[in-house]
Amino acid sequence: MLFLAWFGQLIGQQRTTVHVERARLQRFDRSLGPDTERLIGNVILRQDSTLFYCDSAYLNQRTRNFEAFGNVHIKVSDTLNIFSNRLLYNGEARTAELFGNVKLVDDTTTLETQYLIYNRLTRLATYPNNGLITSGENKLKSKRGYYRSDLKTFYFAKDVELINPEYTIYNDTMVYNTNTEMAYFYGPTLIRGEESTMYTEYGWYHTGRDQARLTKKNRLDTQQQTIKADDIFYDRNTGFADASGNVNIADTANRLIVEGDIGKLWEDEGRSFVTGRARLMSYDKTDTLYMHADTLFSYFTKEREVTMFKAYYGVRFYRQSIQGQSDSLVYTTADSTMRLYKQPILWSDENQLTADSIFITNRNNQLDSLVLHNNAFIVSVDSIKGFNQIKGKFMIGWFEDNELDRIFVDGNAQTVYWVRESDGTLIGINFAKSSTMRIELKNKAIKRILYFSTPTEVMYPENEMTPGEEKLKGFQWLEEMRPMNKGDIFRKK
């Protein structure tokens, strides 16, 4: 309907005359053709409310078409003026063709080109070959383009470039409104700034507010991170980014990838989070840690160096050498320590570790040590039958080549150990208690137990024990909860 109304306006226009308002010399010149007169000196022509200024002109009195030369100036309105070296004007169609050093000025916006067509009826200016637009701090270049003076809107095509002191936009199809300062992108677009680069194939950029919305094949690159998502909003002034749909954040400096359904980033505040099927991947040369939680948080310095990660609710993670789960988790880069809180469970090879909280420290991208705080319990399956158990108030374990090598137990230390001959024959079940002890492991099994205070130690034959007596108080075997692969981290407990 809008198009029909606009088209109706065009065909409904009445034919009007081109008037000669002023000329120093006005005379017919048959050498120019019949009905044509020559106008010389400070020429002013008028059609409707539009004025045409020039040094000289050829005017056809019958068709009311004219050609103007030298210092051409079309005053379309109080705000819109067009300048050039030469002009061809069709009085009936009300179209102007301008040649040489063409300049269209509309308020604070200027269009410069060498050839321009302006239609007074449609208020459409067209340049087919290279134009430069200046609007405030923005300069826009393109191979060809259009300008709707009534809408204050430019349409750019091919080799489009928007230059701002803070960034540059490269594109092949763009629409820019000088009033709203909005640039709309259609097709591959690159927005390059000093500290970030954005790519999209559909979206907009508010040049006044330095805000962008990207909605197709989007990518945002900062100094340390690359963010991909189906939809990205970014405020360059505040460093705030809001992403949704297949969010992927890659941090190459820290060898991290975070995925989820929704992500938010506050660059100036040094924090971000991802939620909705969130997954973190921390990789090195040998292995990758996969972690899931309801929400993953990260914190970083002004230099974009990550200082801390937090995971809340339903934490589960998998790595070939270690697996675990807890209600929440905190990782600090300063000491390379991961802290598991509230009903944490850790699995390392055949060992299951539980406590009120568990701290795990890495060194040189390998497991270094772990600490079990309060109600510490380590369980492993015996080679044939039963469970070997270590219990105490507090435990420290050390790793060698990512395998648990030795454990120090402090406070009410207790062990249950199935003692066997080299051929697997059961000798008995050993029970030991001490305030402190040291357990050494080899080939993932207990090799030796050293006691540092007066121990009590008893070995029972299996047939002399009632069922269940071989398990320490608080024993629980939670193998069915163990993440078995990287996809299993999403399984609910």
Side-chain angles (χ1 to χ4, degrees), residues 26-37:
Q26 180 178 2
R27 68 184 180 189
F28 283 96
D29 190 334
R30 295 187 180 279
S31 66
L32 301 176
D35 306 316
T36 299
E37 59 181 339

Side-chain angles (χ1 to χ4, degrees), residues 112-124:
E112 297 175 79
T113 186
Q114 291 303 310
Y115 175 66
L116 180 75
I117 302 172
Y118 182 73
N119 189 310
R120 289 182 51 233
L121 296 180
T122 62
R123 301 182 185 180
L124 180 66

Side-chain angles (χ1 to χ4, degrees), residues 332-345:
T332 50
T333 58
D335 56 8
S336 299
T337 298
M338 182 166 62
R339 297 164 174 85
L340 286 72
Y341 298 103
K342 197 173 180 180
Q343 298 179 337
I345 311 170

Side-chain angles (χ1 to χ4, degrees), residues 341-359:
Y341 298 103
K342 197 173 180 180
Q343 298 179 337
I345 311 170
L346 199 65
W347 292 272
S348 175
D349 297 318
E350 285 78 15
N351 301 297
Q352 172 192 285
L353 300 86
T354 57
D356 290 352
S357 62
I358 300 176
F359 294 2

Side-chain angles (χ1 to χ4, degrees), residues 102-104 110-114 127 130-134 139:
V102 181
K103 182 183 290 187
L104 182 153
T110 301
L111 162 62
E112 297 175 79
T113 186
Q114 291 303 310
Y127 60 90
N130 297 323
L132 170 65
I133 292 86
T134 303
K139 291 185 180 295

